[in-house]
Amino acid sequence: MNRSETLPPPPAAPGGRKSGPPRITLLPDRERSLQRRHPWVFSGAVARTDGDPAAGDTVELRSAKGGFLGWGAFSPDSRIRARVWDFHESARIDAAFFAERVRWAVAQRDDIVEPGERPGIRLVHGEADGLPGVVVDRFGDCLVVQLSSAGAVRWREAIVDALVAATGIERVFERSDAEVMALEGIQPRVEALRGGAPDERVAMEEAGLVYEVDVRHGHKTGFYLDQRDNRALLRDLVEDREVLDCFCYSGGFTANALAGGASYVTAVDSSADALAAARRHVHLNGLPEARADFIEADVFAQLRKFRDQGRQFDVIVLDPPKFAPTAAMAERASRGYKDINLWALRLLRPGGLLFTFSCSGGVSRDLFQKIVAGAAADAGTNVRLLHHMSAAADHPVSLGFPEGEYLKGLLCQAV
Ligand code: SAH
């Protein structure tokens, strides 16, 4: 059977229900979050599962009193037992449903980046696009798909068909190897889905700069598209200034700093591969290589070393990896954020700018701001908050799903 075309026939349900789709019934008074359009059902809210659904199958979600709440995808191995595809009883979850969701999501991106031949843009951003567990990035002529929930995996073919139809792009690569997949009980999968293997490096343009994205081995889907607007902001604020780019990865901030006329850029990352990519991006774009230095080091140690050397900077970027994927790890993460922010503030010249980020789901914007305020107090610096930064508009946040706001940034000035 082609699983993308039809739902499996509903099995006969034990315990009185003779027909109908599989069903999850919630415990009393646990329907509130679904009614507020939060698309997750936690296992602790489930009273009963009827109809023996398999992983990824569509289940009907009902309150304890029997009221319809939504159609969701069943994830038997996850603490998030179901993710809602649609809150309307009349919806039918089939290939046509995914074709329409994907078409709509792609159409919303029309005006977000300037049209070009090789754009870099997130076309599908999970829950905020009504497609939980589905992330799709376009890099030039290649789509990179990440499927991280049982429901998304179940509908892989339909989603990929829909992507090809909506974009006209025929090369689709799957990068489903995020750490969260283990929590979902899903096997990682990294392979070409359509159009054969992508190039070793896929060319992409952003704000007039070219990047070569390693879609096979790069972080996430290969490139941090979410920082697009923040890279542009940095570029506007660095002329004749000395910049330190910590956790530089493939050099997005570094390249923009040089393009914006920075007098010197020091880029630090612990990964030699990342630094090689950053160096290549500077070269590829004809940026002044003599004004850039690439240091392979642990940022925590390197910031202290700069202090010992008496180094100072006008602009510092701190864009570390996720220190706290979940709220349970927030405390340890807070110590990490505080440490790097404290040491960075000590290296800033008076009037200098700090672009500081957290992409930890477990650290709220409020908490992050408190951590940076604590670092400022310990550094003995007055710090002014100039601007809140977020992921770019192709990474929207559904107001019913605030967890989707993972990237928080503060543009601060030390005075
Ligand atoms: N700013 C980048 C994205 C950063 S991703 C961009 O805009 O593209 C986080 C980076 O931190 C990765 O490249 C990883 O290699 C690096 N990293 C992780 N831990 C580190 C550490 N302790 N010291 C230095 N680099 C680290």
Side-chain angles (χ1 to χ4, degrees), residues 145-412:
V145 176
Q146 189 170 84
L147 306 175
S148 60
S149 66
V153 168
R154 156 73 172 79
W155 291 99
R156 178 185 281 116
E157 284 302 308
I159 291 166
V160 174
D161 285 348
L163 283 166
V164 172
T167 62
I169 294 174
E170 282 163 12
R171 180 157 292 168
V172 185
F173 191 72
E174 178 163 1
R175 264 304 295 278
S176 302
D177 58 348
E179 277 169 29
V180 294
M181 296 183 57
L183 304 175
E184 293 294 308
I186 300 171
Q187 289 303 313
R189 186 159 155 163
V190 177
E191 64 182 12
L193 295 178
R194 298 287 163 86
D199 295 341
E200 203 59 39
R201 298 183 196 131
V202 178
M204 174 210 106
E205 278 170 51
E206 179 189 285
L209 297 174
V210 177
Y211 299 91
E212 293 180 333
V213 181
D214 181 350
V215 300
R216 283 184 191 72
H217 312 104
H219 288 185
K220 303 218 270 191
T221 58
F223 192 79
Y224 290 86
L225 292 170
D226 51 2
Q227 291 283 23
R228 182 188 309 111
D229 295 352
N230 307 323
R231 284 189 280 267
L233 181 62
L234 175 93
R235 189 164 166 170
D236 284 342
L237 296 172
V238 294
E239 195 167 11
D240 298 327
R241 297 184 135 192
E242 197 177 336
V243 177
L244 171 62
D245 179 8
C246 296
F247 308 95
C248 70
Y249 187 49
S250 60
F253 283 106
T254 290
N256 276 277
L258 290 169
S263 56
Y264 202 84
V265 182
T266 303
V268 182
D269 202 284
S270 55
S271 152
D273 287 346
L275 289 165
R279 222 182 259 277
R280 207 170 50 245
H281 287 144
V282 169
H283 178 76
L284 200 66
N285 287 290
L287 295 164
E289 294 170 69
R291 284 201 253 137
D293 186 19
F294 298 88
I295 300 178
E296 184 181 333
D298 171 33
V299 166
F300 290 84
Q302 188 62 35
L303 292 174
R304 289 166 167 83
K305 197 163 164 187
F306 284 142
R307 174 78 170 181
D308 292 344
Q309 295 168 343
R311 286 282 301 269
Q312 289 207 295
F313 302 90
D314 302 305
V315 179
I316 300 179
V317 179
L318 292 175
D319 185 22
K322 238 187 277 181
F323 290 157
T326 63
M329 292 159 84
E331 196 180 313
R332 210 177 126 244
S334 302
R335 284 198 292 276
Y337 288 121
K338 176 144 180 207
D339 186 85
I340 53 175
N341 282 279
L342 169 63
W343 285 90
L345 286 168
R346 286 178 170 159
L347 297 175
L348 266 189
R349 294 200 175 97
L353 299 177
L354 175 65
F355 286 72
T356 184
F357 297 96
S358 162
C359 59
S360 293
V363 174
S364 67
R365 187 176 283 278
D366 189 43
L367 175 58
F368 185 54
Q369 188 170 323
K370 288 198 173 100
I371 295 167
V372 178
D378 285 9
T381 319
N382 279 329
V383 174
R384 304 198 303 153
L385 173 59
L386 303 184
H387 185 60
H388 279 284
M389 296 179 284
S390 298
D394 49 343
H395 298 61
V397 180
S398 164
L399 291 185
F401 181 67
E403 294 91 328
E405 191 188 6
Y406 66 99
L407 182 66
K408 310 105 197 166
L410 304 172
L411 171 53
C412 296

